[in-house]
Amino acid sequence: MRKTINIKVKPEVAFDPIKLEAFISKHLGFSRDSQFNYRIARRSIDARKAPVMVPMNIDVYLDELPPEIPDYKQKLQQVADCPPVIIVGAGPAGLFAALKLIEAGAKPIILERGKDVRSRRRDLVSINKHHVVNPDSNYCFGEGGAGTYSDGKLYTRSTKRGNTKEILEILVSHGAPGDILVDAHPHIGTNKLPKVVEQLRESILDCGGEIHFNTTVTGLLISGDKLAGVTDRTGQKYVAEATILATGHSARDIYSLLNDLGVELEAKPFALGVRVEHPQAIIDKIQYHGCDRGPLPAAAYSLSHKLKTHRSGGVFSFCMCPGGFIVPAATSPGEVVVNGMSPSRRDSRFANSGIVVSISQNDYVKYSDFGPLAGMHFQKFLEQTACVMAGGNQTAPAQRLMDFIKGVPSNDLPETSYQPGVSAQNMQELLPEQIYHGIKEGFRMFGKKMRGYLTNEAILLGVESRTSSPVKIPRDPVSLQHIRIQGLIPCGEGAGYAGGIMSAAIDGVNCAQAAFKLIKNPSK
């Protein structure tokens, strides 16, 4: 017999299996000799007021075992001799597209410019310790994409676009912790994601799919309005009826290639700003109402404010990483880009978040000669400016938070998790005026929402510029093919249709289904 209960318990009960089992038994009035099992179906944290509580939905099984979690791998089949589909990019969109193609009965051929996930680590060490940026292997490029060495956030609002539960179950089948099926805001952690990505790769290869690392696509085989395949930098041709373009939001060479070939592109709004870092203890104290954190996870926050001054957009927190680190996310030498990540335990002494302002074409009109690539060149200019300001390497320009708000230089800087180091700079000299004033207004409002948030113990680093793609590759809403080029299926963050691991994975699944229809009916 199964019974579902909805309870709200203290953290010391929620995160202690023995205490939770005792609470369930008492809540349901079971006798001491009652045999039961339980499975948490949903868990969240209610920190709106003290004391902090943990709402939970729990399925209780009396005299029976909980059903097994489905093993997605059982859906996969051997596809070595099946029709091929080319996938450019091995990020979440590309990997999940490959799995869905295998499930349907097509052979994925993944072309990834970067290295496998384990080999990427040497290049991450190189950028952190030696300030050397490998343009093909970094925090953005390589197996697993930008999501691999990140917090691994799996929360998305894109629930209507696809089956989010299936995405989570696929990850669990490939080694992700089962908690992601339970938590309201699930995450995996940068220390666990690489192993999950490796298992995803093994599933693809075991079923006859192909993955080619260190393979940069440099050409498209377009005849008339039809794409027949792609070429790499060695001249090698890869031919298929369908090509899924899932290159991520930082593949600027692909945007330039498409533009040079006359493939229609569109400028897309994005966001840009800085990354702020506090001691985690400050954020815990604010969010947990001054109480000791105890068994609760490192506290997070989500902030937004509609700007009142000369713009229609807003300022908001982005990719908040509790218990995390700030990392260098540049993809070319001569630029400084910052981003955040967290390990699974979120046990760093720091909490960081992007604080970014919505950007539209009106904010970079002087780059309008670049057409749909104007936003990309605007990003690039600010990243290069940040690099020059801080010394020409991966040292990031930085300023204390209250000094930034007051408009005064920082005489010194607090400790930070950013390994390449920081240089005290006036961030007003880096940020365009409208972005500077927008962030400043946002911080003041955030300080009213979170008392104690505004402190000179916090530090700002710049520039946070890779929040999403500044370019959109337009596609037909039904066939998901490019609006003119048949056989080209723009996919994921790089095409402007996703914003994070989950939404990218969902879009990868949808694009795989579109590609499979195309290879079964090539005339359509």
Side-chain angles (χ1 to χ4, degrees):
M1 180 184 74
R2 187 187 78 172
K3 182 177 180 64
T4 299
I5 59 173
N6 300 317
I7 59 175
K8 186 178 286 189
V9 296
K10 295 180 179 179
E12 54 266 32
V13 173
F15 297 101
D16 185 321
I18 296 176
K19 291 181 179 179
L20 181 59
E21 182 174 337
F23 183 94
I24 293 170
S25 179
K26 183 177 180 180
H27 179 81
L28 292 176
F30 289 157
S31 61
R32 290 185 178 181
D33 58 351
S34 295
Q35 298 295 315
F36 70 93
N37 297 282
Y38 70 90
R39 176 176 289 164
I40 301 170
R42 195 70 169 167
R43 179 175 60 203
S44 59
I45 295 173
D46 185 355
R48 290 173 294 179
K49 60 182 181 180
V52 177
M53 299 296 284
V54 181
M56 307 177 77
N57 297 342
I58 300 177
D59 293 327
V60 181
Y61 299 85
L62 189 61
D63 298 323
E64 64 177 283
L65 295 173
E68 292 186 5
I69 297 174
D71 183 2
Y72 175 79
K73 293 181 182 180
Q74 295 179 359
K75 295 183 178 181
L76 302 179
Q77 57 184 306
Q78 184 55 234
V79 294
D81 298 323
C82 293
V85 172
I86 296 167
I87 301 173
V88 185
L95 292 174
F96 277 82
L99 290 173
K100 184 55 66 170
L101 285 168
I102 291 171
E103 184 183 335
K107 177 181 179 178
I109 301 176
I110 299 178
L111 310 179
E112 169 54 52
R113 70 186 299 163
K115 302 176 183 179
D116 66 86
V117 71
R118 184 165 297 186
S119 299
R120 284 178 73 182
R121 293 174 182 169
R122 290 190 290 271
D123 296 305
L124 302 188
V125 170
S126 186
I127 191 173
N128 274 296
K129 293 188 175 181
H130 308 298
H131 300 253
V132 176
V133 181
N134 182 334
D136 291 319
S137 180
N138 44 63
Y139 277 98
C140 292
F141 298 150
E143 185 180 22
T148 299
Y149 293 101
S150 72
D151 191 54
K153 294 178 182 66
L154 301 176
Y155 174 72
T156 181
R157 293 184 177 89
S158 303
T159 54
K160 294 182 180 180
R161 296 184 183 180
N163 189 344
T164 57
K165 182 180 179 182
E166 182 185 47
I167 300 297
L168 296 174
E169 288 177 347
I170 291 172
L171 290 169
V172 171
S173 294
H174 289 85
D179 283 353
I180 67 173
L181 299 172
V182 170
D183 290 329
H185 290 83
H187 74 105
I188 297 179
T190 188
N191 56 319
K192 294 185 177 181
L193 268 165
K195 294 180 181 178
V196 175
V197 169
E198 286 180 336
Q199 289 200 33
L200 292 171
R201 179 216 308 161
E202 291 305 314
S203 284
I204 294 167
L205 295 178
D206 288 347
C207 292
E210 296 180 14
I211 303 179
H212 301 267
F213 295 114
N214 301 301
T215 303
T216 302
V217 170
T218 57
L220 303 182
L221 301 174
I222 298 177
S223 177
D225 290 339
K226 180 175 174 58
L227 179 68
V230 301
T231 58
D232 66 20
R233 59 166 54 127
T234 70
Q236 175 71 40
K237 293 182 179 180
Y238 303 85
V239 178
E241 288 287 341
T243 296
I244 297 174
L245 194 62
T247 53
H249 61 45
S250 291
R252 291 171 172 170
D253 56 334
I254 293 295
Y255 297 140
S256 296
L257 172 64
L258 294 171
N259 193 55
D260 291 345
L261 291 174
V263 177
E264 290 82 354
L265 302 172
E266 298 174 359
K268 186 181 81 60
F270 60 104
L272 190 147
V274 298
R275 187 153 283 263
V276 63
E277 183 172 70
H278 290 76
Q280 181 65 51
I282 289 178
I283 302 303
D284 289 342
K285 183 177 180 180
I286 295 170
Q287 297 295 77
Y288 294 145
H289 312 287
C291 301
D292 289 338
R293 193 169 89 196
L296 287 167
Y301 62 82
S302 178
L303 296 166
S304 63
H305 169 63
K306 185 173 177 60
L307 292 169
K308 300 176 182 177
T309 56
H310 65 273
R311 59 165 49 251
S312 58
V315 56
F316 54 94
S317 59
F318 169 80
C319 185
M320 196 274 149
C321 297
F325 307 90
I326 299 178
V327 298
T331 52
S332 294
E335 60 190 31
V336 168
V337 182
V338 293
N339 203 343
M341 70 177 195
S342 297
S344 58
R345 295 182 65 177
R346 290 179 166 175
D347 53 2
S348 159
R349 294 183 293 111
F350 302 97
N352 70 77
S353 177
I355 302 296
V356 295
V357 174
S358 301
I359 300 294
S360 69
Q361 290 173 271
N362 293 330
D363 295 310
Y364 48 85
V365 290
K366 70 178 183 178
Y367 294 89
S368 58
D369 288 347
F370 291 103
L373 304 186
M376 184 184 84
H377 285 275
F378 176 55
Q379 279 181 330
K380 190 174 181 179
F381 169 76
L382 290 178
E383 294 164 5
Q384 292 175 340
T385 301
C387 184
V388 171
M389 283 182 67
N393 49 33
Q394 286 303 298
T395 301
Q399 190 173 11
R400 288 182 182 267
L401 174 54
M402 290 305 297
D403 291 344
F404 173 82
I405 292 174
K406 294 175 182 177
V408 299
S410 294
N411 296 323
D412 59 5
L413 295 171
E415 186 182 0
T416 174
S417 66
Y418 184 73
Q419 287 189 25
V422 291
S423 172
Q425 301 290 334
N426 186 346
M427 301 296 279
Q428 186 174 3
E429 296 178 3
L430 168 63
L431 300 170
E433 183 179 2
Q434 73 276 17
I435 296 176
Y436 167 74
H437 287 294
I439 292 174
K440 195 172 180 179
E441 180 182 327
F443 273 131
R444 285 174 172 154
M445 295 305 299
F446 298 161
K448 294 179 180 179
K449 295 178 180 180
M450 292 178 63
R451 300 291 181 181
Y453 184 84
L454 297 184
T455 170
N456 243 10
E457 291 185 63
I459 183 175
L460 305 185
L461 282 70
V463 58
E464 174 88 17
S465 52
R466 306 289 180 93
T467 56
S468 64
S469 170
V471 180
K472 186 175 184 178
I473 308 174
R475 68 188 187 190
D476 181 86
V478 177
S479 72
L480 302 190
Q481 296 179 80
H482 184 268
I483 56 173
R484 181 173 60 85
I485 306 298
Q486 183 181 348
L488 174 60
I489 302 177
C491 179
E493 283 201 47
Y497 298 98
I501 293 174
M502 285 295 287
S503 58
I506 290 170
D507 201 54
V509 168
N510 293 338
C511 288
Q513 292 169 336
F516 188 74
K517 289 180 182 178
L518 184 60
I519 63 175
K520 286 297 184 182
N521 300 282
S523 62
K524 295 185 180 181

